[in-house]
Amino acid sequence: MAGFLFIVSATTPGIYTYLKLTSKSEDGVLLDRRKVDRRRSPQGVTLERRNGERRHNGERRHSSVATDLQKYGWVLVHR
């Protein structure tokens, strides 16, 4: 699928293997190799010089991906 990426949790190697075998793209499936979540505790964000909600949206997207990986074992993201 052009423009999309499957990220598969390391705890579900069967899903990773299946998606790799059935995917038309060599780089369309990625195994999540993180050992621990980098954001272990919620911390306040220092005042940004940039305007807008750019950082907040990125954190929400990361949180959603991490949650879906834990819940389902895989997630489909737009590149």
Side-chain angles (χ1 to χ4, degrees), residues 28-72:
V29 181
L30 178 71
L31 184 64
D32 183 28
R33 297 181 303 256
R34 294 176 296 162
K35 298 297 179 193
V36 294
D37 191 9
R38 290 179 284 178
R39 300 170 196 236
R40 294 183 193 145
S41 63
Q43 298 175 350
V45 179
T46 60
L47 186 59
E48 286 280 333
R49 292 181 299 203
R50 299 182 208 131
N51 293 329
E53 297 285 328
R54 198 167 100 184
R55 185 177 179 127
H56 177 70
N57 289 338
E59 287 179 3
R60 191 167 12 128
R61 184 171 37 247
H62 168 78
S63 173
S64 174
V65 169
T67 301
D68 287 350
L69 275 173
Q70 286 180 336
K71 190 173 184 178
Y72 304 111

Side-chain angles (χ1 to χ4, degrees), residues 9-39:
S9 172
T11 61
T12 55
I15 293 174
Y16 174 76
T17 303
Y18 174 78
L19 290 172
K20 277 300 253 191
L21 290 172
T22 59
S23 175
K24 294 179 182 178
S25 172
E26 285 285 322
D27 59 347
V29 181
L30 178 71
L31 184 64
D32 183 28
R33 297 181 303 256
R34 294 176 296 162
K35 298 297 179 193
V36 294
D37 191 9
R38 290 179 284 178
R39 300 170 196 236

